[in-house]
Amino acid sequence: DAGVIQSPRHEVTEMGQEVTLRCKPISGHDYLFWYRQTMMRGLELLIYFNNNVPIDDSGMPEDRFSAKMPNASFSTLKIQPSEPRDSAVYFCASSFLGLLDTQYFGPGTRLTVL
Amino acid sequence: LAKTTQPISMDSYEGQEVNITCSHNNIATNDYITWYQQFPSQGPRFIIQGYKTKVTNEVASLFIPADRKSSTLSLPRVSLSDTAVYYCLVGVRTGANNLFFGTGTRLTVIP
C-alpha cells in the first residue's frame, strides 16, 4: 500500500481565496482524521470520520472550515475564505479501529495564506 | 480523554538511554497509553502502546507503574536519527474521544 496520500504538498494562496486539501486514506481503514499543526498550538485534531460519516468536528475552528468524505477512498478539507492565520501544516491520517488504534499519517500539506 | 503533561524539550548525547516521562493523573480504567514520534517535515509515526507494566518492541520500551498515573518512554542508545518530537496520548482504544497531541517533547540528540 502507498500509505496515506495527500495533495497538494504545498499550497500558497492569497487571503480570501478558497483552499481545498485532499486525502486518500489507506485502503480498508474505516477511520479518517484531519489535523492541523502550528508552532504555537502543536498538533490539533480538527475532525474525524468513521465509515465516511463525520463523528466529531468539535476541533474545526470556524465555519470557514468544512470537511467531506464522499467515499471510502477520498476526503477533502476546505477553507473558504482563507485567512493568514490558517497558515499551518495540515495532516490527514487513517486507522483501522479508531482514535487510539495506530494512526498512519500522510506527508502533510503546508498551507501559506498571504 | 485524560490530559497529559510532558517536558517541552530534552537533550541527550549519542549512545545514551533516554527516558521521557508523561504524566496523566486522570487516566481512566479503560484508557491505553500511546506514544508517537514525529520527524521534521513528516507526519507522526506510531512507536508503542501499552496498558500496564512494561511493553517492549524493536524501537522502544514503555514502562507503566501500577497506579498508571504516569508512563515512561525509554529509547535505548539513541542516535542522531532519534532527534524528533515525541507525543504521549492517553485514551480509549476505540470509541469517540477527542484526541490531544499537544506540542510533545522535542528530543535533540547531540554527537
Side-chain angles (χ1 to χ4, degrees):
Chain A
D1 199 313
V4 175
I5 299 172
Q6 291 186 248
S7 65
R9 294 294 310 276
H10 301 274
E11 176 80 27
V12 180
T13 190
E14 292 187 347
M15 183 174 62
Q17 296 297 308
E18 177 180 291
V19 175
T20 299
L21 311 181
R22 298 172 177 80
C23 175
K24 175 179 168 57
I26 292 173
S27 177
H29 282 189
D30 292 333
Y31 287 80
L32 183 140
F33 311 86
W34 281 101
Y35 291 88
R36 178 174 67 176
Q37 186 169 42
T38 61
M39 288 293 292
M40 291 297 296
R41 299 175 66 89
L43 191 61
E44 305 173 277
L45 177 64
L46 301 177
I47 184 172
Y48 76 94
F49 295 82
N50 179 22
N51 292 322
N52 313 335
V53 177
I55 301 300
D56 187 344
D57 65 354
S58 59
M60 297 284 262
E62 299 173 32
D63 291 344
R64 299 183 296 106
F65 287 71
S66 62
K68 295 182 180 180
M69 192 166 186
N71 57 62
S73 60
F74 183 67
S75 177
T76 60
L77 178 67
K78 186 176 294 186
I79 308 172
Q80 166 62 22
S82 59
E83 297 182 3
R85 59 194 169 118
D86 301 331
S87 297
V89 180
Y90 291 82
F91 289 102
C92 175
S94 69
S95 76
F96 182 55
L97 286 178
L99 284 162
L100 264 293
D101 191 21
T102 302
Q103 293 188 40
Y104 295 86
F105 283 75
T109 295
R110 181 173 295 276
L111 173 65
T112 302
V113 183
L114 304 174
Chain B
L1 188 68
K3 188 173 181 179
T4 60
T5 303
Q6 328 174 211
I8 294 175
S9 63
M10 295 179 67
D11 293 337
S12 176
Y13 287 101
E14 267 192 300
Q16 290 188 330
E17 177 183 76
V18 171
N19 296 309
I20 305 175
T21 297
C22 179
S23 298
H24 27 80
N25 292 319
N26 297 323
I27 189 168
T29 303
N30 295 331
D31 285 345
Y32 282 73
I33 300 158
T34 310
W35 286 80
Y36 279 79
Q37 174 191 54
Q38 185 179 23
F39 296 114
S41 301
Q42 295 185 25
R45 183 184 70 155
F46 172 89
I47 302 176
I48 197 166
Q49 184 179 76
Y51 183 79
K52 62 181 180 180
T53 61
K54 176 183 175 182
V55 179
T56 297
N57 60 23
E58 65 277 6
V59 177
S61 294
L62 178 59
F63 297 93
I64 306 168
D67 66 5
R68 303 201 325 122
K69 293 185 182 300
S70 67
S71 59
T72 299
L73 175 72
S74 181
L75 305 173
R77 298 180 300 282
V78 294
S79 64
L80 296 177
S81 63
D82 293 316
T83 294
V85 178
Y86 293 82
Y87 297 94
C88 166
L89 287 78
V90 173
V92 180
R93 195 164 183 268
T94 59
N97 291 282
N98 191 20
L99 199 62
F100 180 72
F101 274 79
T103 55
T105 298
R106 183 174 299 276
L107 171 66
T108 302
V109 180
I110 306 166

